[in-house]
Amino acid sequence: MIVGKKLKILIVEDDKVSFDFVSFLVRNYSTEILRAATGIEAVELLRRYKDIDLILMDIKMPGIDGCEATRRIRNFNKEVIIIAQTAYGLSGDREKTLAAGCNDYISKPIKKENLLKLIEKYFGK
């Protein structure tokens, strides 16, 4: 896998074990990994850090879900790449996340090769 630059990545994940797993998968492709445990926190972090390259957005979270957080982010940032991640790979989930403004979608459990292919799709040379 060839990524053109090291990325600043925001992982939006309320489950600490899942956050640790995803951050382990992307550690070689990042300069910095930030965590938001809620959708509201994700929106606030993106307002504060304008240089985030990639958001890995869990869809099922307490409070506002990942789709609503994405809609709010898209109100002020159309450029950041947002990849939805969900354990609920139900019919229509992909369309729902894309309609909310996500660039792409990956289902849990996340397979390293699938995640890295998505990162390369958006950040490859």
Side-chain angles (χ1 to χ4, degrees):
M1 170 163 168
I2 300 170
V3 172
K5 66 172 187 163
K6 293 280 189 164
L7 307 172
K8 187 168 188 175
I9 301 172
L10 171 59
I11 299 172
V12 185
E13 177 59 71
D14 61 318
D15 180 71
K16 175 79 165 85
V17 173
S18 295
F19 167 79
D20 289 343
F21 175 69
V22 174
S23 61
F24 176 78
L25 294 180
V26 300
R27 74 192 184 289
N28 292 331
Y29 307 99
S30 64
T31 55
E32 186 175 357
I33 297 173
L34 303 170
R35 178 183 182 206
T38 68
I40 293 288
E41 192 178 347
V43 174
E44 290 170 358
L45 278 171
L46 201 66
R47 285 189 191 280
R48 190 174 334 142
Y49 298 101
K50 310 284 190 227
D51 60 340
I52 291 173
D53 300 298
L54 172 63
I55 300 174
L56 298 170
M57 179 73 76
D58 187 23
I59 295 304
K60 188 169 178 2
M61 290 183 296
I64 69 167
D65 68 10
C67 287
E68 179 59 27
T70 298
R71 281 190 282 276
R72 292 183 187 189
I73 288 167
R74 289 301 186 212
N75 284 330
F76 65 90
N77 186 325
K78 307 260 192 268
E79 304 304 314
V80 67
I81 301 299
I82 303 175
I83 298 174
Q85 48 173 336
T86 181
Y88 303 96
L90 301 174
S91 175
D93 274 1
R94 179 179 176 83
E95 293 74 20
K96 184 174 114 176
T97 61
L98 296 177
C102 292
N103 298 87
D104 228 311
Y105 169 94
I106 191 168
S107 59
K108 293 179 180 178
I110 293 174
K111 292 184 173 78
K112 180 178 181 176
E113 59 275 7
N114 294 345
L115 179 58
L116 299 184
K117 280 180 191 173
L118 278 176
I119 292 172
E120 185 173 304
K121 174 181 175 179
Y122 292 100
F123 299 100
K125 287 185 178 179

